[in-house]
Each structure stands twice: as structure tokens, then as C-alpha cells.
Amino acid sequence: MYFHSNPKGSASMQKSKPGIYDRYMPALNAEPTDAPAYWFVFLADTGRLLLHEQEGLKALPAAADADELGFKTLRSLYLGTLDGAPCYAAEAQEGTEPPVGSDFLPLRALYDRMDEDLFHLAGRALQILNWDVTHRFCGRCGSSLTLAERDRAKVCPNCGLNHYPRLSPAVITAILKDGKILLAHAPHFPDNMYGLIAGFAEPGETLEDCVRRETMEEVGIELGEIRYFGSQQWPFPNSLMIGFVAEYASGEITVDGEEIEHADWFAPNELPNIPPKVSIARKIIDWYTEEYGGKA
């Protein structure tokens, strides 16, 4: 196992937890230092992260510069400092063989095997690399872009247009009715898994508007009070998941037949196959079972 994961308490809408910025300080430009840097190296076009067969930070490759990694990198971007040491995002060209004692592993599968804040930083690195690859030229005039000096952005030297990393906000909602939770099965869910109602926000919408629209579109019911639960960056490829808990107001479940195949109300002791702990969906469902599991 490459990382150990610290036990996390139950999720709560009232409690905030230590996060990525307790260990990580973002920055655009590296300061001179003799300390080896941590490298979040991803294999081109795969989202697979290079890790050694060790635990904690020792699983990350450490080197003063990219030339010491033992293979050619296509690009690298400075991220800031992690536990006081510089850290970088880098992309290895397709076909790169991992060094002995290490491997390129799918980031999505690593959530339960690495500390949560490191997983989020790895996700940040992946998103910034993807942005660097897909924002090479200006969308308005076609000129080559250059990195901005003061922001995480690229600027067009010809027309001055700024290009920031893409971020796609999406809502995900637990809908409660008489102590039960609404869970839905989508056609692409594996192993007959059921999850929460979710969807991307559209231009001109508030997040609450999005919650109500997605719920009506997918299962045909109206909502009452909507409460914020928490959020999670989701680097597959560039989402920000914003979680909510909503109260049922009216209507009968009517699935759209496209996004959702089946949906129903479930009690805490009769849950179907639910998402793994990698997702905020599971955090919300776990919160629900803890809050309502002991209620008659």
C-alpha cells in the first residue's frame, strides 16, 4: 500500500475539517532552495500518478529538478510548497517506464490509500496540467499564450485575453422525506449502484436553482428547504462538487429514463449498493445514516 489514510470522523454540515491548506502553500514562482522537491508526475493522457511503494510523502518522487527523475518530462509547473518543501506537477510522455519500485497508478483509485489532503493536491496538479495542455492558444485570436506573472492564468500577448484554469461547478443533493433518502440509479453506474441526484450548474443559475432544476428534470419532484453540506474538488476532469441536503416538498418520483433509470426512497438500514468513499456522495450518505440510523 502506497499511503496510509487517517481515520476521518463522520461528516457534518456544522463542522469544518483541516484541509489541504494546512500543509500546502500555493505559489506561482519557486524560491531558491537546496531542498528536494516533491513531484506529482502523471502519465500523459491517462491521469495515472507515479508513486513509490512507500507510505506518506515518501511515496512521492523527490528530486531537485525534473532531470533527476530518471525519465523525460513533457512539461512541469510549480505548485507551491508542501510541508515547507517545493512541489511540482509534471507530465511524463506516453510509454514512460516507471522507475524500479514505483508505478503509475489511477488517481481515482487512490482516495482510500492516501491522506485526503494529498489526494486533493494531486487532483490540483492533474487539473493544472490538463489546463496547460488544452490552453496553448488564444480562443479569440489564435496567438500562443504565455503564463501570467501574478495569477494562475495564461495571457494572450496579442489581444490581452486572460485564460484561467477551467472549473465546472456541479451540485449533488441528498433529498430527505420522512427519514428516508432518495437514491437513484443511472445507466452508467456499475454493479447496480445507487447515488444522489447531481448535475452541472448552468449560466445564470444559483447553486440552489441548479439543485431544484436537476431534481425536477431527473426525478420530477419539488423541494423545500435546501441546506449546504460541503464541497469536494473532483479532478475528473475539472469539477467542483457542491453538496446539499434538501427536504422533499411535493410530487411523485418520475424518472427521466435517460439520466436516471430508477429512483426510490430508502431507509438507513435498507440502503442499496452506494458509491465508494472516494466521493462526496458517500460522505453525504454516511452522514445521513449516522443522523437517521437510530431514529424510529
Side-chain angles (χ1 to χ4, degrees):
M1 183 168 294
Y2 291 84
F3 282 87
H4 69 279
S5 55
N6 295 325
K8 304 293 183 181
S10 61
S12 170
M13 289 182 286
Q14 284 75 40
K15 296 179 181 178
S16 61
K17 297 179 180 179
I20 182 175
Y21 293 113
D22 290 334
R23 305 178 63 185
Y24 165 68
M25 180 65 67
L28 297 176
N29 301 301
E31 298 291 336
T33 179
D34 294 329
Y38 294 117
W39 291 82
F40 293 87
V41 182
F42 289 89
L43 195 62
D45 300 325
T46 68
R48 299 173 75 91
L49 177 65
L50 180 65
L51 293 176
H52 298 307
E53 294 179 351
Q54 300 181 60
E55 293 187 348
L57 284 176
K58 293 181 180 180
L60 291 174
D65 56 53
D67 292 338
E68 296 181 6
L69 292 173
F71 50 83
K72 181 178 177 57
T73 57
L74 298 175
R75 57 180 45 82
S76 63
L77 293 166
Y78 183 63
L79 297 175
T81 58
L82 175 60
D83 288 349
C87 57
Y88 290 84
E91 184 181 54
Q93 61 186 355
E94 185 178 356
T96 296
E97 290 294 327
V100 176
S102 62
D103 200 0
F104 287 101
L105 301 173
L107 180 61
R108 188 189 291 263
L110 292 173
Y111 186 86
D112 288 335
R113 297 169 59 179
M114 64 194 304
D115 294 334
E116 187 171 356
D117 51 356
L118 289 181
F119 177 84
H120 289 314
L121 182 51
R124 180 188 184 101
L126 179 59
Q127 291 179 81
I128 289 175
L129 286 172
N130 287 336
W131 163 71
D132 189 57
V133 171
T134 58
H135 290 73
R136 296 171 57 199
F137 304 99
C138 180
R140 183 159 65 186
C141 73
S143 299
S144 295
L145 300 175
T146 61
L147 289 173
E149 294 182 359
R150 297 185 178 180
D151 294 311
R152 181 69 72 182
K154 292 188 176 183
V155 62
C156 176
N158 182 51
C159 71
L161 183 64
N162 289 325
H163 299 257
Y164 292 91
R166 179 180 174 185
L167 192 63
S168 303
V171 300
I172 183 164
T173 309
I175 302 168
L176 306 182
K177 176 187 177 185
D178 299 329
K180 293 187 176 183
I181 187 171
L182 189 148
L183 297 176
H185 175 73
H188 64 279
F189 284 177
D191 303 323
N192 199 33
M193 186 179 73
Y194 278 66
L196 304 177
I197 299 300
F200 289 99
E202 296 182 353
E205 281 187 326
T206 66
L207 296 176
E208 292 82 2
D209 289 339
C210 183
V211 168
R212 296 185 187 280
R213 175 183 56 78
E214 287 288 343
T215 301
M216 178 56 67
E217 289 177 357
E218 294 187 358
V219 291
I221 63 176
E222 296 185 355
L223 301 178
E225 181 184 7
I226 299 173
R227 305 187 303 279
Y228 173 75
F229 177 90
S231 63
Q232 179 187 49
Q233 64 89 8
W234 192 244
F236 309 108
N238 45 46
S239 300
L240 174 63
M241 304 298 296
I242 302 103
F244 292 91
V245 174
E247 298 296 331
Y248 165 85
S250 63
E252 297 295 328
I253 295 176
T254 306
V255 300
D256 64 2
E258 296 181 4
E259 295 287 338
I260 301 298
E261 285 185 330
H262 180 258
D264 207 344
W265 302 102
F266 294 88
N269 61 349
E270 59 181 19
L271 296 180
N273 184 29
I274 56 176
K277 293 183 181 297
V278 65
S279 68
I280 190 173
R282 179 59 175 269
K283 292 180 183 294
I284 299 175
I285 295 171
D286 286 348
W287 166 85
Y288 158 75
T289 58
E290 291 185 12
E291 288 290 311
Y292 289 85
K295 297 181 180 180

